Amino acid sequence: GERISREDKLKILKKALSEDERRVLNEVEKSKEITQDSLRLRLGWSKAKVSAILSRLDKARIIQRRREGKTYRVLMQR
């Protein structure tokens, strides 16, 4: 079978995501790695909103979150 590159997979995934999920994903991609707090400041959203979106993206294995003190470090899933 044909191997789908990570980039293509992401393009396909992005089409299925909500506008908000895409915005979060774009920020994470741009920075390679970002804390959940910085993400929230950049987007100007509530903690709850950022957290909810990140856990959806985490469950979908698009990003990963690592506990770091009181926040999480967010990066793209390898």
Side-chain angles (χ1 to χ4, degrees), residues 24-65:
V24 167
L25 207 53
N26 289 335
E27 287 299 330
V28 176
E29 276 185 300
K30 257 194 305 210
S31 11
K32 303 281 183 255
E33 235 181 77
I34 188 171
T35 65
Q36 195 162 318
D37 286 346
S38 311
L39 207 48
R40 190 168 73 87
L41 292 170
R42 268 191 210 178
L43 296 163
W45 295 344
S46 70
K47 247 184 176 145
K49 179 174 179 172
V50 172
S51 187
I53 291 173
L54 285 174
S55 49
R56 283 205 298 271
L57 294 173
D58 198 2
K59 278 200 187 80
R61 296 230 159 100
I62 300 171
I63 56 134
Q64 43 182 318
R65 288 193 292 181

Side-chain angles (χ1 to χ4, degrees), residues 11-22:
K11 273 188 205 127
I12 296 164
L13 273 168
K14 277 185 183 166
K15 291 199 177 85
L17 297 176
S18 72
E19 185 56 44
D20 286 347
E21 288 167 332
R22 274 199 298 269

